[in-house]
């Protein structure tokens, strides 16, 4: 057995340091380059992916009573992969059986194993990129990053935060209480880290790894066993993850069943059956607020960590770089066709227009500027495809169709020419304050909403965040007082605010080790990646104390 | 305005250090001595207490539409104090009104105010001791400690843990992402601490301050406003606390309504009305599992931190100090007549008896030894009263009466001669495995339970902890392997274990800064005092980021 903790302890310490300072850092390069990952990495990854397509996915030793697999094919390429599957009771029994030894391992041992798995996953990022691309509809560069290094960053964050918390206070102490002139009372004390129990991670369709790794690695690091329930449309990225974790676990002498895959198929999902078994102590979930509410009602005493629906916004009150603003917004609206939890949906503008470096711009001028920027950005089909990717779920096309009737369409959604695609539909909302823009409309749909003035625009964007949830908010403003006003309003609404973004940085982007993803302070989710509240309740401390021998 | 943070920052740093090392430390002396608290402290405290009795308790500026107050009088001395009272809607409105400014204060400012309040409360410990004694039935020395310095320790713990967590990661960062040969992308980032909202602390009858301070100080430190709902039988200790906090808040320019008192009367409790208003983000509760379950069902999205019912145990498998063991157990059973959440209830013994330094002792020998030790300890009425105190709730007498029929009574419960008192009732359980000993029987009732052997005794004590909850477990054993077996069994049951206690240290005792009180890992409560999980979710972080000017 290798000492994996020793191998990776410098990485762990560096990650903990980054979590404190919040400056830029990552050990997992985001550029899909042969210079970084090895000259043959791209070809090897492609070959490894193609070898999986159409075949039975092997997870040695995994409980299996049948095979399942009917994943989405947003790019038109059917994966046709079958995964080992077993009924919930079998999976739960296997998880329970593996629990004691994993719980007894010390934080160093567990962290070492998880960091080794992350390192191996990193080396597989091209394979994971292809898997993520074809399961989610992301274009390859995004799929590489979001399924690979960026997800690995978030996993490392969780391990580092959990390790810091588990080792934050002494594991042993000699407690000596003075008794005046008499001998002091002296107790020896030892604390064990005790996991909460069995955990369940329920994956999502669009970012299976990125959204899955935090809960997955946090639960494992703190000694819980884990059942991974991927979205039936996007299994492969998490199946690869489970497989690697099981390999390292087995090599280190643990039961690989510490991590299990609960694959299922659309229309025959086993999530509710799993939850209703009532055995889970922790559930991590990314998806709709409707299902999150069901979970909270039915999860018993389990901790439920969620990322849910929301209405992200851009508030435009002025800019000294009108062209840069329009280009930046155009990219944010187009990226992965609005299928990011961070994609902006509503654009709030003063009805009287705004002042810019190009002079006054009316409401329609601003709308026109953004529409033109989107058109320009997506003019070329290949580029459009590489930015918009493909649509993960057919329901998204239905939402686009519905949104078309919600107001004045100023830009039609179009196909890119590759896969099941749809570029942004841009709609100027109707006169009424209420409308479909006051709900999450997941996908490439955005609404321009005219407000009385800049203050009203900020107030409405903040109000919808507070009421319906929001993970991101953007603001364009030149007036310092207005920025302060917005900073307070969005802070109270519990939403992270990006101000005056132009150039190559977008409101959609959330960087591990620096940006806490989701604040937990509005209905868009209660889990903040990765703060202490996300890791600390996943384990408990139990003491034994005895009088010190004289 | 004083800089209270500067005044108390060394204290805060020392407390944080103690939380890390878990060695003995306290800034608040537990001995009710004039040499420590000032020669006139005792007389002043008594006079201040007597001045309150029978009068209207004044809380300047507190919302008030009527007066309430019908506290218990376990020592026979009726407090007859009336407190300002207002309906829940008025209290909630006042709390909301005070929220914004308190939320905007920085962690240093809030901590400074809370530490100043704790320091002033410490100086009032004799008054608080009398208040606690007459509200709870504790004898004065315990009331002084539990209502005064020990509660203040737990409050300081909460402030220190919250402050450490709020300042754990940077409040500002310059994030510079390399872009190969191009200019890096540089963002300025700032994070605000945002409280969760309005919090509610629901106090208990027996340890209003000790159990109340952790949630109270944790919620305030993290920027939440707070409504304190004392048990209607024990208002004064928390009313004094609220008054002091409001004084410091007002002096420092904050609305005193950051902390409000929601006093009520037996039979007309307003707790449910408060909770059902649906405005609380955090609820701290100490009391029955039945009401805790109601809270979880009705608290909406509020975080609910609890300390609940449980069945604490002593497992006796052997000892090399039979007399010392019996004396130690006798004291633990007698202290405050078993009305501590840490009091042992069930004693598990091998039916064949145990080996000791005095040779083999049969089951009946051990029972007899403990009965004799209790009798000896409580022989003198004055001493009995000073150990047992008085009974806080009439329901306890009903439980004693019922328990009398649960098996063979080996020691009758008696009066001490002072107040509404009852010394321990000791019962040998019946043959059946099930019986009243498998439920919490709060008060001076303990059951001796015969088990097949030492292993069975450990297994049964651990099982009841896992199933019904337990805050403490004690073990007497001379065999190292048996101690290891118990350590693992009780760790899995999530209960802190004390081994071979003799002399002046008791299983009932939980020391701030060293002992985490309640593990959160069994049904006796989900809040561990004071771990990070207790403070971290009480606030959130919200970011603003913008491109750094070139």
């Amino acid at each position: 057995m290798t000492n994996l903790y020793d191998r990776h302890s410098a990485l762990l310490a560096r990650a903990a340091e980054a979590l404190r300072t919040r400056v830029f850092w990552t050990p997992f390069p985001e550029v899909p380059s042969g210079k970084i990952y090895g000259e043959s990495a791209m070809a090897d990854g492609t070959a490894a992916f193609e070898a999986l397509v159409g075949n039975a996915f092997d997870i040695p030793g995994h409980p299996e009573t049948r095979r399942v697999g009917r994943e989405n094919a947003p790019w038109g390429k059917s994966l046709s992969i079958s995964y080992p599957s077993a009924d919930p009771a079998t999976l739960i029994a296997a998880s329970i059986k593996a629990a004691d030894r994993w719980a007894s391992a010390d934080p160093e041992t567990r962290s070492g194993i998880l960091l080794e798995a992350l390192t191996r996953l990193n080396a597989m990022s091209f394979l994971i990129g292809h898997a993520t691309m074809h399961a989610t509809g992301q274009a390859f560069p995004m799929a590489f990053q979001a399924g690979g290094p960026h997800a690995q960053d978030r996993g490392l964050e969780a391990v580092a935060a959990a390790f810091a918390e588990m080792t934050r206070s002494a594991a042993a102490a000699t407690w000596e209480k003075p008794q005046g002139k008499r001998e002091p009372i002296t107790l020896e004390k030892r604390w064990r880290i005790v996991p909460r129990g069995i955990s369940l991670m329920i994956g999502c369709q669009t970012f299976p790894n990125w959204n899955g790794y935090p809960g997955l690695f946090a639960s494992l690091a703190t000694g819980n066993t884990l059942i991974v329930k991927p979205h039936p449309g996007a299994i492969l990225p998490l199946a690869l993850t489970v497989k690697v974790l099981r390999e390292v676990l087995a090599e280190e002498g643990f039961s690989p069943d510490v991590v299990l895959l609960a694959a299922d198929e659309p229309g025959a999902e086993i999530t509710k059956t799993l939850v209703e078994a009532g055995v889970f102590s922790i559930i991590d979930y990314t998806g709709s607020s409707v299902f999150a509410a069901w979970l909270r009602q039915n999860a018993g005493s389990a901790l439920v960590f969620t990322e849910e629906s929301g209405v992200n916004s851009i508030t435009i009150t002025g800019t000294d770089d009108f062209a840069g603003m329009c280009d930046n917004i155009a990219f944010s609206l187009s990226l992965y066709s609005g299928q990011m939890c961070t994609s902006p949906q509503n654009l709030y503008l003063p009805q009287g227009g705004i002042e810019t470096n190009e002079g006054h711009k009316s409401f329609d001028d601003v709308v026109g500027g953004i529409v033109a920027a989107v058109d320009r950005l997506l003019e070329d089909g290949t580029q459009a495809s590489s930015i918009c990717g493909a649509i993960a779920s057919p329901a998204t096309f239905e939402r686009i169709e519905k949104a078309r009737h919600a107001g004045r369409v100023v830009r039609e959604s179009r196909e890119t020419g590759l896969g099941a695609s749809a570029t942004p539909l841009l709609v100027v909302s109707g006169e009424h304050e209420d409308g479909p823009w006051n709900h999450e409309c997941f996908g490439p749909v955005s609404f321009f909403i005219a407000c009385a003035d800049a203050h009203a625009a900020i107030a409405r964007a903040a109000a919808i965040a507070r009421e319906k949830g929001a993970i991101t908010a953007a603001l364009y403003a030149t007036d310092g007082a207005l920025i302060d006003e917005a900073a307070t309003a969005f802070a109270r609404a519990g939403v992270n605010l990006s101000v005056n973004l132009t150039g190559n940085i977008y409101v959609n982007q959330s960087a591990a080790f620096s940006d806490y993803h989701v604040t937990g302070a509005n209905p868009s989710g209660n889990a903040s990646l990765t703060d202490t509240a996300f890791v600390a309740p996943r384990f408990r401390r139990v003491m034994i104390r005895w009088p010190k021998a004289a």
Side-chain angles (χ1 to χ4, degrees), chain A:
Chain A
M1 259 181 14
T2 339
N3 192 324
L4 296 177
Y5 176 73
D6 286 351
R7 183 186 292 174
H8 298 294
S9 61
L11 177 66
L12 193 63
R14 190 64 194 80
E17 169 72 10
L19 285 173
R20 278 191 298 275
T21 62
R22 315 306 295 182
V23 299
F24 175 84
W25 180 74
T26 172
F28 301 125
E30 68 176 10
V31 184
S33 154
K35 285 185 191 151
I36 296 164
Y37 284 92
E39 285 308 329
S40 68
M42 190 179 302
D44 294 348
T46 306
F49 173 68
E50 290 300 340
L52 292 174
V53 172
N55 288 315
F57 189 88
D58 184 37
I59 308 182
H62 195 281
E64 175 174 348
T65 53
R66 64 187 195 287
R67 288 253 148 196
V68 298
R70 214 145 50 78
E71 287 172 272
N72 284 3
W75 289 107
K77 181 186 180 81
S78 172
L79 294 183
S80 302
I81 300 174
S82 74
Y83 301 91
S85 170
D87 61 295
T90 304
L91 294 172
I92 288 166
S95 195
I96 290 172
K97 204 173 159 197
D100 269 352
R101 235 181 87 60
W102 186 241
S104 310
D106 59 28
E108 287 76 9
T109 303
R110 287 196 299 257
S111 299
I113 287 171
L114 297 174
L115 295 171
E116 174 65 18
L118 281 169
T119 305
R120 292 189 195 178
L121 287 164
N122 181 247
M124 290 165 55
S125 291
F126 280 94
L127 165 55
I128 290 169
H130 286 293
T132 303
M133 173 180 174
H134 287 284
T136 68
Q138 291 169 21
F140 183 78
M142 177 190 267
F144 176 91
Q145 294 185 347
H150 288 179
Q152 293 144 16
D153 279 344
R154 289 288 177 187
L156 174 55
E157 240 190 21
V159 176
F163 186 81
E165 193 47 40
M166 288 187 288
T167 55
R168 192 176 192 174
S169 68
T174 303
W175 182 84
E176 194 174 290
K177 182 177 181 178
Q179 299 290 297
K181 288 168 189 165
R182 287 175 295 156
E183 281 292 291
I185 294 170
T186 308
L187 293 178
E188 292 293 346
K189 303 184 179 188
R190 299 283 179 277
W191 289 269
R192 280 190 203 202
I193 300 292
V194 175
R196 194 170 269 269
I198 309 179
S199 56
L200 175 68
M201 193 282 280
I202 305 171
C204 70
Q205 163 82 67
T206 44
F207 289 90
N209 283 5
W210 198 95
N211 279 105
Y213 279 18
L216 189 159
F217 281 93
S219 277
L220 290 174
T222 47
N224 306 278
T225 56
L226 177 71
I227 296 179
V228 175
K229 163 61 192 74
H231 190 284
I235 301 173
L236 186 54
L238 285 168
L240 289 164
T241 306
V242 167
K243 185 172 181 167
V244 168
L245 282 162
R246 289 172 59 92
E247 280 166 8
V248 185
L249 282 162
E251 289 167 19
E252 297 300 310
F254 291 91
S255 165
D257 290 348
V258 165
V259 190
L260 292 161
L261 186 71
D264 57 13
E265 296 190 343
E269 288 89 349
I270 59 173
T271 323
K272 287 190 174 182
T273 314
L274 279 164
V275 172
E276 284 166 346
V279 302
F280 294 103
S281 299
I282 302 169
I283 299 176
D284 284 277
Y285 171 72
T286 305
S288 77
S289 293
V290 174
F291 195 76
W294 182 89
L295 279 175
R296 279 185 285 266
Q297 279 297 318
N298 293 275
S301 62
L303 292 178
V304 180
F305 294 97
T306 68
E307 178 181 317
E308 308 177 34
S309 321
V311 179
N312 302 320
S313 66
I314 301 177
T315 303
I316 303 173
T317 71
T319 177
D320 54 16
D321 180 3
F322 184 72
M325 175 186 86
C326 290
D327 285 343
N328 188 280
I329 292 174
F331 191 86
S332 278
L333 300 183
S334 303
L335 188 61
Y336 190 27
S337 287
Q339 297 170 100
M340 304 175 74
C341 55
T342 52
S343 298
Q345 174 181 311
N346 289 357
L347 294 93
Y348 295 92
L349 285 78
Q351 60 192 9
I354 61 168
E355 301 309 313
T356 79
N357 59 319
E358 302 178 11
H360 181 80
K361 297 280 185 182
S362 70
F363 178 87
D364 282 339
D365 291 341
V366 179
V367 170
I370 293 169
V371 167
V374 173
D375 284 341
R376 215 160 42 235
L377 181 71
L378 306 180
E379 196 171 13
D380 174 74
T382 308
Q383 177 166 317
S385 179
S386 78
I387 293 169
C388 295
I391 300 296
S393 162
T396 300
F397 290 105
E398 292 168 32
R399 276 191 296 270
I400 296 170
E401 186 47 39
K402 253 193 174 161
R404 204 170 256 130
H405 307 289
R408 175 163 56 96
V409 172
V410 289
R411 184 183 188 278
E412 268 296 353
S413 174
R414 303 184 191 112
E415 297 189 350
T416 64
L418 278 170
S421 62
T423 65
L425 174 78
L426 303 181
V427 179
V428 174
S429 79
E431 293 281 309
H432 301 295
E433 284 231 345
D434 199 22
W437 45 87
N438 287 342
H439 307 272
E440 179 177 275
C441 185
F442 191 76
V445 175
S446 286
F447 299 99
F448 292 98
I449 296 166
C451 304
D453 57 20
H455 307 290
I458 291 167
R460 283 187 63 182
I464 196 79
R466 205 163 44 233
E467 192 189 337
K468 295 291 168 57
I471 295 177
T472 62
L475 171 75
Y476 290 89
T478 54
D479 175 357
L482 213 54
I483 294 174
D484 288 347
E485 180 181 327
T488 297
F490 287 104
R492 281 185 192 159
V495 55
N496 292 324
L497 180 65
S498 299
V499 181
N500 292 333
L501 296 188
T502 56
N504 261 335
I505 183 82
Y506 305 99
V507 66
N508 322 42
Q509 294 171 325
S510 173
F513 302 103
S514 185
D515 296 324
Y516 290 100
H517 178 70
V518 184
T519 64
N522 69 45
S524 66
N526 68 8
S528 182
L529 307 178
T530 299
D531 69 1
T532 315
F534 187 71
V535 296
R538 292 177 196 256
F539 71 93
R540 316 269 67 195
R541 282 188 184 84
V542 182
M543 174 180 65
I544 180 170
R545 62 181 183 180
W546 65 93
K548 191 179 178 184

